[in-house]
Amino acid sequence: MLFEQLSLIEPILSALKEEGYTTPTPIQEQAIPIILEGKDLLGCAQTGTGKTAAFAIPVLQLLCKAKLTGQPQKGGIKALILTPTRELAIQIEESFAAYGRNLGLKQLVIFGGVSQHAQTIALRKGVDILIATPGRLLDLIQQKFIRLSDVEFFVLDEADRMLDMGFIHDVKKVITLLPTKKQTLFFSATMPPEISKLASSILHNPSKVEVTPISSTAETIQQAVYFVEKENKKLLLSHLLKDAAIKSALVFTRTKHGADKVVKDLHRGGVKAEAIHGNKSQNARQRALTNFKSGETRVLVATDIAARGIDVDDLTHVINFELPNVPETYVHRIGRTGRAGASGIAFSFCDAEEKEFLRDIQKLISIPVPVVTDHPYAMSNTSLNSIPSVKQKPVQRHHQGGERRSFRGGDSRRYAGNQSAKRG
Ligand code: AMP
């Protein structure tokens, strides 16, 4: 199935093309037609399955259609997306901005822990789609910066996590402030009784969509971390790339500038590499990707945004030159290797400043990432001793034992997280 077969409007299709998406994920394939029909939805899916696009694309289309058909438009917020964490909120806002880039709708993300000033200024300018965490939303409602009386679409994201994090009362309060007539999309990875009760109280005759894991292929991904000083990272990368077993490597950096720098350093060492990031034209990106897929370029250096939607068969290695500050991004990154039962290897370089990020990643995936100490650029023992400890998450939070999954493109689904630690 292709996105073209989902009755989507041209401006959305072309935005998806620019994102590099061709095939809808299973949850998208199932949920998009239901939402476009105007029905309520109960979606059982975790982060990594493509669930954000599964609700963002049809909501954008319905909002846009209403605008085009000349229906009288109310001035307020028309779609509210409630999500438990700031990181998820930011990612959802980025998704709406990306898929809706040709539509002229306004989206805004608000969350707590930061000053509300910039958020209230943005709210005053008018917002069509609001992505919010519950606490800050209620704060701003109370201060009369936000009213929800015009909301036509309500998305509750990660309902079970709202419960885990103690936000369920806030969520219920928000629900009481919404108009009765609206379309509701309810997402949760698991359905504990309280969540199930909440779902049946707010959904009207919902269609149910569930994506269940097919296999836990991430067990085939070997993870390893190298503690290394920032300035030695390029040397370590060249050192590792001497190993011919690294047939193809997708190297991740946090910034575009960083990606270009890695490519330059690799060229100096005679390694064929290309960078792919937002400053490159669509053509240049496509060319780099084609060269990489054909094996002509051995190393592709990418930023997370540019790497979205990249799906390369037989990718043997993912190398995190810099660790991401959002732990979910690590799962997305490494999920690009080890496809369809093939073995994959994910190396991460961690300097002193990134230990915090590593700790967050280990917390998320519930396992410590094995450390490689035997390499020429290892940091001193003292630094190694300060590796943050791993707190194990309680098992059975999700029905697959607390695992996280990471979608990798096409209709394959990947899981990373509950694999046993393998020494690399
Ligand atoms: P989510 O489950 O919404 O967090 O999405 C997981 C990742 O998959 C995100 O990085 C998305 O950009 C990416 N993604 C979602 N849908 C598709 C698709 N149809 N094709 C390729 N990548 C996708």
Side-chain angles (χ1 to χ4, degrees):
M1 146 105 44
L2 298 170
F3 277 111
E4 277 78 4
Q5 293 162 277
L6 284 173
S7 313
L8 297 174
I9 53 176
E10 187 44 45
I12 293 186
L13 284 175
S14 59
L16 294 176
K17 213 173 265 163
E18 277 183 62
E19 282 296 293
Y21 296 7
T22 47
T23 334
T25 69
I27 184 129
Q28 291 162 7
E29 205 177 305
Q30 295 172 60
I32 292 174
I34 295 169
I35 302 171
L36 286 179
E37 262 180 46
K39 296 192 73 175
D40 279 5
L41 181 92
L42 177 60
C44 295
Q46 293 169 342
T47 293
T49 53
K51 77 173 151 69
T52 312
F55 64 75
I57 293 170
V59 165
L60 282 164
Q61 173 144 331
L62 292 171
L63 285 174
C64 183
K65 280 226 160 130
K67 206 163 112 181
L68 291 178
T69 51
Q71 280 174 20
Q73 295 287 296
K74 293 179 187 164
I77 294 157
K78 295 175 197 74
L80 173 69
I81 292 86
L82 211 50
T83 190
T85 70
R86 163 199 177 128
E87 286 74 21
L88 282 168
I90 293 171
Q91 280 177 42
I92 295 171
E93 195 269 340
E94 285 173 354
S95 299
F96 271 96
Y99 315 141
R101 56 159 66 95
N102 303 319
L103 303 178
L105 293 162
K106 281 193 268 184
Q107 67 276 327
L108 177 70
V109 59
I110 59 166
F111 44 76
V114 292
S115 148
Q116 68 172 43
H117 186 63
Q119 299 176 357
T120 55
I121 290 179
L123 281 164
R124 269 201 211 108
K125 290 188 188 147
V127 169
D128 298 300
I129 302 154
L130 183 70
I131 299 105
T133 53
R136 178 55 57 96
L137 176 66
L138 285 171
D139 267 0
L140 294 180
I141 291 175
Q142 211 165 26
Q143 297 173 56
K144 306 237 179 312
F145 285 110
I146 294 176
R147 58 187 178 87
L148 301 179
S149 51
D150 293 341
V151 169
E152 295 162 28
F153 302 95
F154 171 54
V155 181
L156 181 58
D157 186 39
E158 309 236 338
D160 54 351
R161 215 155 144 198
M162 294 279 198
L163 182 67
D164 284 356
M165 294 174 74
F167 296 159
I168 205 70
H169 292 296
D170 283 351
V171 170
K172 286 180 180 166
K173 181 131 191 244
V174 170
I175 291 169
T176 63
L177 303 173
L178 290 164
T180 352
K181 191 173 171 292
K182 63 185 173 301
Q183 188 175 356
T184 303
L185 316 172
F186 190 111
F187 289 88
S188 195
T190 57
M191 280 291 161
E194 181 152 11
I195 291 304
S196 181
K197 216 167 92 195
L198 180 66
S200 34
S201 72
I202 63 169
L203 293 167
H204 297 288
N205 196 16
S207 294
K208 195 170 171 195
V209 165
E210 191 165 5
V211 286
T212 45
I214 20 177
S215 64
S216 103
T217 41
E219 277 173 23
T220 62
I221 304 176
Q222 279 183 44
Q223 302 175 56
V225 63
Y226 292 76
F227 287 95
V228 55
E229 303 287 356
K230 200 184 210 139
E231 58 273 20
N232 285 337
K233 283 187 173 182
K234 59 180 178 197
L235 299 172
L236 177 60
L237 182 62
S238 302
H239 169 74
L240 292 175
L241 287 171
K242 283 188 195 139
D243 184 351
I246 304 187
K247 294 212 170 55
S248 57
L250 182 56
V251 176
F252 282 97
T253 59
R254 271 201 303 271
T255 64
K256 301 170 199 172
H257 176 67
D260 286 333
K261 213 161 158 299
V262 169
V263 168
K264 236 190 238 164
D265 289 333
L266 287 175
H267 281 175
R268 269 193 218 119
V271 177
K272 245 191 137 185
E274 283 188 84
I276 182 166
H277 57 64
N279 283 3
K280 306 247 168 188
S281 68
Q282 177 68 18
N283 274 349
R285 278 194 266 172
Q286 201 51 52
R287 216 169 28 241
L289 195 56
T290 311
N291 290 342
F292 186 57
K293 282 184 175 171
S294 69
E296 195 168 310
T297 320
R298 186 170 161 229
V299 181
L300 188 68
V301 187
T303 56
D304 291 299
I305 302 281
R308 277 185 179 193
I310 292 183
D311 195 21
V312 183
D313 290 337
D314 308 324
L315 177 64
T316 62
H317 288 71
V318 165
I319 301 178
N320 293 305
F321 191 85
E322 285 156 338
L323 283 174
N325 53 354
V326 177
E328 278 87 357
T329 304
Y330 173 84
V331 180
H332 291 156
R333 285 181 180 183
I334 73 161
R336 289 168 198 279
T337 182
R339 266 199 92 186
S343 63
I345 294 176
F347 293 149
S348 298
F349 297 177
C350 179
D351 65 29
E353 286 168 18
E354 292 171 311
K355 285 183 177 173
E356 195 66 21
F357 301 157
L358 181 65
R359 198 182 54 195
D360 289 347
I361 290 165
Q362 298 191 135
K363 238 195 241 169
L364 174 74
I365 66 176
S366 306
I367 55 156
V369 181
V371 181
V372 179
T373 47
D374 183 18
H375 68 90
Y377 307 101
M379 283 204 287
S380 65
N381 270 342
T382 352
S383 317
L384 281 178
N385 283 343
S386 61
I387 299 166
S389 63
V390 177
K391 279 195 212 117
Q392 291 287 340
K393 268 210 262 180
V395 267
Q396 293 304 332
R397 198 180 78 72
H398 297 299
H399 37 207
Q400 289 92 27
E403 73 191 352
R404 311 282 305 186
R405 50 172 108 148
S406 132
F407 167 68
R408 308 181 49 270
D411 63 354
S412 57
R413 275 161 283 160
R414 328 286 301 171
Y415 307 92
N418 71 338
Q419 66 266 52
S420 54
K422 292 188 184 107
R423 300 277 146 190

